[in-house]
Amino acid sequence: MDGLSETTRRFLKGLASETRQQLVLGFAGGSELTVGQVAERAGIAHSTASEQLTLLRQGGLLTARRDGKTVYYRADGTGIGNALAELQAILAVCCPPQEPSPKHTR
């Protein structure tokens, strides 16, 4: 394995911020939110929310659709699943789970 794909690197970058981790949780259950709604819920500036949502979208964590002038964001289950599958495959090769140590009995 040659390492992480650029897509998975962007995925990890998207999750590298605690703020972005919290924003992703706001999309649980298939919620679809605008930048303004995200900003209001997170208590952050509109511009900050927009920047954070862009990084999450670039990381494959969110998708966006435009309806007129409004952009709606939602969790990207496929993008998230693909990045997690790649991470699991790499971890299985580089760092396989260890067998639990047998307990010594007397």
Side-chain angles (χ1 to χ4, degrees):
M1 197 159 266
D2 295 332
L4 296 174
S5 69
E6 185 59 32
T7 301
T8 299
R9 288 180 195 279
R10 286 192 308 260
F11 173 83
L12 291 173
K13 181 178 180 179
L15 289 176
S17 158
E18 190 172 331
T19 298
R20 288 190 295 273
Q21 292 167 20
Q22 292 300 314
L23 293 181
V24 169
L25 294 175
F27 293 95
S31 295
E32 191 174 65
L33 303 169
T34 65
V35 174
Q37 290 170 321
V38 170
E40 183 179 326
R41 290 180 180 194
I44 58 178
H46 190 278
S47 60
T48 302
S50 182
E51 291 170 10
Q52 300 303 312
L53 291 169
T54 296
L55 288 170
L56 290 169
R57 192 170 47 80
Q58 290 172 347
L61 290 134
L62 299 178
T63 61
R65 72 171 179 87
R66 181 174 295 278
D67 184 10
K69 292 184 178 184
T70 306
V71 178
Y72 294 91
Y73 295 87
R74 72 175 8 191
D76 182 354
T78 301
I80 293 168
N82 290 342
L84 290 175
E86 182 179 340
L87 288 170
Q88 284 180 318
I90 288 173
L91 290 173
V93 172
C94 82
C95 321
Q98 296 181 355
E99 297 290 325
S101 305
K103 293 186 179 183
H104 296 285
T105 56
R106 293 185 182 207

